[in-house]
Amino acid sequence: MDKIEHKMVAVNGLNMHIAELGQGPTILFIHGFPELWYSWRHQMVYLAERGYRAVAPDLRGYGDTTGAPLNDPSKFSIFHLVGDVVALLEAIAPNEDKVFVVAHDWGALIGWHLCLFRPDKVKALVNLSVYFPRRNPKMNMVEGLKAIYGEDHYISRFQVPGEIETEFAPIGAKSVLKKILTYRDPAPFYFPKGKGLEAIPDAPIALSTWLSEEELDYYANKFEQTGFTGALNYYRALPINWELTAPWTGAQVKVPTKFIVGEFDLVYHIPGAKEYIHNGGFKKDVPLLEEVVVLEGTHGATKWST
């Protein structure tokens, strides 16, 4: 870990923090919510030792990346996020036509859209947890999930600027992150109004083998500095994403792809998800999908994991 280098890169109006290790073909790692470049530290070391150059940024609104207008969720649209990635690749890998992309959770959504908008940039894609978000022309994702799960579902609760931040504030970043990162229930994730995180079972006293107290502190310190608004703005931009991506309704991802999900990942348990993934819909939308890996008996590539 000590060998990982850190630098700041001017990207798409941001000052983006990236972590980098190794030499060779570039692999870009894209983190999810509520994570950081740090989520990929082990994979970076592993792949750098095998002849690759591993690069992991803090995304717009996260960690040590600065310059995003936190008071404007519309500046966190999928076009801004993909634009950040394209500009980053131009800056750090100008001589590589295409790179490998590995992404998780919100990073996976960015990865899917990167491949939709700029397939010329991606050699192959490995996405974890979040399957391809086929656009429903009749209803945006927020309204669709609200119809299934109701107003207390976390994505619905994240929509109003400042609301969930106010509920998180007295709890503190470390307690919020501990509950979210150790959540291991495939059932829907709810934040009932007035109850906040109380509705979520308490995190285990002893953290698991993949998340030490020291590692949790790393995340907590960063989120204490930045707050959660930047990360939450990704969810607040979902309705505008739906409006702006209308031209891509029915479009396919034509990049060689592998998809990995944990058997108990809550995304895998969204109604209709398993049928879509395994019964041909996913393969139709991603015709170069080479493999779907379900990590049995585990949360593996979970919605929230490190």
Side-chain angles (χ1 to χ4, degrees):
M1 300 296 175
D2 295 340
K3 296 178 182 178
I4 293 176
E5 297 179 0
H6 298 266
K7 63 178 73 171
M8 305 300 291
V9 184
V11 166
N12 201 24
L14 306 175
N15 200 20
M16 179 171 274
H17 166 248
I18 68 167
E20 184 176 352
L21 184 65
Q23 294 183 333
T26 298
I27 302 176
L28 181 70
F29 291 94
I30 312 177
H31 69 76
F33 170 90
E35 301 176 54
L36 299 162
W37 77 268
Y38 188 72
S39 303
W40 299 110
R41 61 202 181 279
H42 301 301
Q43 291 82 1
M44 291 177 69
V45 171
Y46 181 88
L47 288 161
E49 290 173 348
R50 285 156 179 79
Y52 292 93
R53 177 195 185 200
V55 178
D58 283 337
L59 294 176
R60 172 179 293 247
Y62 278 90
D64 293 326
T65 291
T66 60
L70 300 183
N71 60 347
D72 186 355
S74 72
K75 294 295 192 290
F76 289 76
S77 79
I78 196 64
F79 289 95
H80 290 87
L81 305 178
V82 172
D84 295 345
V85 171
V86 171
L88 177 62
L89 293 177
E90 292 288 346
I92 65 168
N95 298 320
E96 290 184 73
D97 291 335
K98 297 184 178 185
V99 303
F100 296 103
V101 175
V102 180
H104 171 239
D105 182 57
W106 253 106
L109 285 173
I110 297 170
W112 291 125
H113 286 89
L114 172 65
C115 292
L116 268 183
F117 303 156
R118 295 298 304 273
D120 58 304
K121 291 289 184 185
V122 184
K123 199 173 293 184
L125 174 69
V126 178
N127 263 348
L128 285 71
S129 179
V130 177
Y131 51 86
F132 178 73
R134 175 192 283 175
R135 185 181 183 275
N136 179 352
K138 298 179 180 178
M139 185 181 295
N140 73 48
M141 187 186 296
V142 175
E143 293 303 316
L145 290 169
K146 191 180 294 184
I148 297 171
Y149 295 125
E151 299 279 350
D152 289 337
H153 186 252
Y154 74 96
I155 289 180
S156 296
R157 291 283 282 116
F158 286 176
Q159 291 303 305
V160 179
E163 188 173 276
I164 203 72
E165 291 97 318
T166 300
E167 293 190 25
F168 283 173
I171 302 168
K174 184 171 182 177
S175 294
V176 170
L177 290 164
K178 186 175 182 181
K179 279 205 171 189
I180 290 177
L181 292 173
T182 58
Y183 187 75
R184 288 293 174 270
D185 190 336
F189 199 71
Y190 293 110
F191 284 121
K193 284 190 178 181
K195 289 188 176 180
L197 287 186
E198 291 177 21
I200 301 167
D202 283 337
I205 295 172
L207 293 174
S208 60
T209 54
W210 54 263
L211 183 66
S212 69
E213 200 73 31
E214 179 185 3
E215 290 163 339
L216 179 61
D217 284 340
Y218 184 93
Y219 289 103
N221 289 338
K222 294 299 181 185
F223 279 95
E224 282 168 6
Q225 293 168 23
T226 63
F228 286 93
T229 297
L232 294 166
N233 280 343
Y234 286 53
Y235 294 93
R236 292 165 185 159
L238 284 170
I240 194 171
N241 290 346
W242 179 78
E243 293 179 23
L244 295 174
T245 55
W248 286 270
T249 302
Q252 295 175 313
V253 167
K254 295 181 178 179
V255 169
T257 301
K258 176 181 280 193
F259 178 68
I260 304 171
V261 66
E263 182 183 7
F264 301 117
D265 189 320
L266 62 84
V267 178
Y268 190 53
H269 288 264
I270 292 173
K274 292 178 184 177
E275 291 78 6
Y276 172 72
I277 290 168
H278 298 294
N279 293 352
F282 195 9
K283 180 70 174 177
K284 181 180 178 182
D285 290 336
V286 188
L288 299 182
L289 178 67
E290 295 181 0
E291 189 177 11
V292 171
V293 178
V294 179
L295 301 175
E296 295 183 1
T298 179
H299 294 80
T302 51
K303 168 78 175 83
W304 287 312
S305 70
T306 55

